[in-house]
Amino acid sequence: MRCASLLLLASLIPLFCNASLATGDNGERPAAAVSQASAPKLALIIDDLGQNPARDARVLALPGPVALAILPDTRHASQLSQRAHAAGKTVMLHLPMAPAGGPYAWRPELPQDELRRRLDDALAVVPHASGLNNHMGSQMTDQQQPMAMLMATLQQRHLFFLDSRTNPRTLAAATAQRAGLASLSRDIFLDDDPSPAAVARQFAAALALARKQGSVVIIGHPHRSTLELLERELPLLGEQGIAWIDIGQMIATRGNRAMAAHGRGGIYR
C-alpha cells in the first residue's frame, strides 16, 4: 500500500506543478529557491463554480495556482472546466453529497452501483478533473462504506481527494489516508460569514496558521467580498513570506499526514 501511495503521489505532482525549482551548475539551489522552499505554504480552492460566468471569470483570472472546484449540476460546468484546464489551473469536481440533492448527489440511502454511476456521470460533466472535494456532505462523509468505496475508486482513477470537513465526525480523510490515496484536508473556510470584515479576519487567520504549522489549505466561495479580498491580497503573499502553491505541491508537502487540528502524530482521528 505504501508503494501504491508513493507511485500515485509521483504521478500527481507533474500534473499540478507548472514549474520546478531551478538548480545551478553545481547542483545547489539559488537563494530565492531555498527561500521559497522554506516559506510557509498556502493552497487555495474556490468552491461552487459553474453557476455564474462573471464570477467564474474572476476566479479564473486570479494570478496564481488557484484550484477551481466545479459543481457538475451547473449550466457552465463543462465550459469552465475546459477553460480552466487550458489556463493551466487545477480542475476539481465539487461532488454534491447529502444533504445536497440532485442527479449527481451522493446520499446514504443509495446503493453503491448508483453512487458509482453518479460519480462517473459527474466526472464526465467536469472534464480534466484531477481530483474532487465534497459539496456539503455532512450526512455522507461519516458513512464508512461509501467513503471506502469512493477512495478505492479515486485510487483506480488516479485522482486525489480533498476533505472539505463539513462534518466534525468526517471519516473521509482518515479513509483516504488508510487507502494510501493522495489527499488533503481543508484547514480554513474563508467565508462562512461573507461580510468583508469576517473574510478579512479569516484570511489573516489562515496566514497565521500557515506560519504556525508550515502550511494551510483554504477554501473560499465566489462571493463578491471573497473575490475582492483575494484580488487585493494574493499578489502580496510573496512580500509576506508566504508561498502560494498548487494542490499537487501541497499533497507532496504534507505527504498525506494530518495536521494537529485533525489528528495526532499525522494520523487522522
Side-chain angles (χ1 to χ4, degrees):
M1 188 64 71
R2 182 182 298 273
C3 291
S5 176
L6 291 174
L7 286 172
L8 181 56
L9 284 170
S11 69
L12 278 168
I13 292 169
L15 290 177
F16 305 124
C17 300
N18 294 327
S20 298
L21 293 174
T23 59
D25 293 338
N26 61 1
E28 293 182 2
R29 288 179 177 174
V34 173
S35 176
Q36 176 85 353
S38 61
K41 294 172 177 58
L42 176 152
L44 172 66
I45 303 95
I46 302 296
D47 278 354
D48 295 356
L49 298 176
Q51 304 179 86
N52 182 296
R55 294 185 305 190
D56 295 345
R58 287 181 71 178
V59 174
L60 197 56
L62 291 173
V66 60
L68 287 77
I70 301 172
L71 288 164
D73 49 353
T74 56
R75 182 176 179 182
H76 307 285
S78 295
Q79 181 184 33
L80 177 60
S81 180
Q82 298 282 8
R83 291 179 62 202
H85 177 70
K89 305 292 189 182
T90 296
V91 176
M92 296 173 57
L93 169 63
H94 197 33
L95 182 65
M97 292 187 182
Y104 304 102
W106 275 38
R107 302 189 59 85
E109 68 271 14
L110 295 175
Q112 288 204 7
D113 286 349
E114 175 63 14
L115 295 178
R116 284 195 188 90
R117 186 191 68 78
R118 290 185 176 207
L119 176 61
D120 289 343
D121 290 349
L123 286 168
V125 173
V126 183
H128 309 295
S130 300
L132 66 83
N133 68 330
N134 52 292
H135 170 61
M136 304 179 70
S138 62
Q139 297 173 11
M140 195 72 203
T141 57
D142 60 0
Q143 303 294 306
Q144 181 62 64
Q145 190 171 6
M147 290 300 101
M149 187 269 283
L150 175 61
M151 303 316 162
T153 303
L154 296 181
Q155 187 80 283
Q156 293 168 359
R157 288 176 168 267
H158 304 292
L159 302 175
F160 69 83
F161 177 74
L162 168 66
D163 190 348
S164 300
R165 303 194 74 88
T166 57
N167 181 346
R169 300 178 303 280
T170 179
L171 301 174
T175 306
Q177 186 180 56
R178 286 195 299 272
L181 179 69
S183 58
L184 288 170
S185 278
R186 182 270 310 168
D187 294 306
I188 286 187
F189 276 126
L190 276 183
D191 45 21
D192 281 340
D193 177 350
S195 68
V199 174
R201 284 194 299 271
Q202 286 297 93
F203 190 74
L207 300 191
L209 185 59
R211 294 186 177 102
K212 178 180 179 181
Q213 66 182 18
S215 65
V216 67
V217 176
I218 303 173
I219 291 180
H221 300 82
H223 303 305
R224 178 178 177 179
S225 55
T226 303
L227 295 176
E228 287 177 349
L229 178 134
L230 294 174
E231 289 163 348
R232 182 177 69 250
E233 298 295 335
L234 289 175
L236 305 177
L237 287 176
E239 298 175 12
Q240 300 177 66
I242 303 291
W244 183 11
I245 64 175
D246 64 24
I247 294 292
Q249 290 172 293
M250 186 62 80
I251 289 172
T253 295
R254 291 193 170 182
N256 281 1
R257 292 178 61 81
M259 296 292 99
H262 304 145
R264 181 176 297 177
I267 305 300
Y268 284 100
R269 290 190 290 270

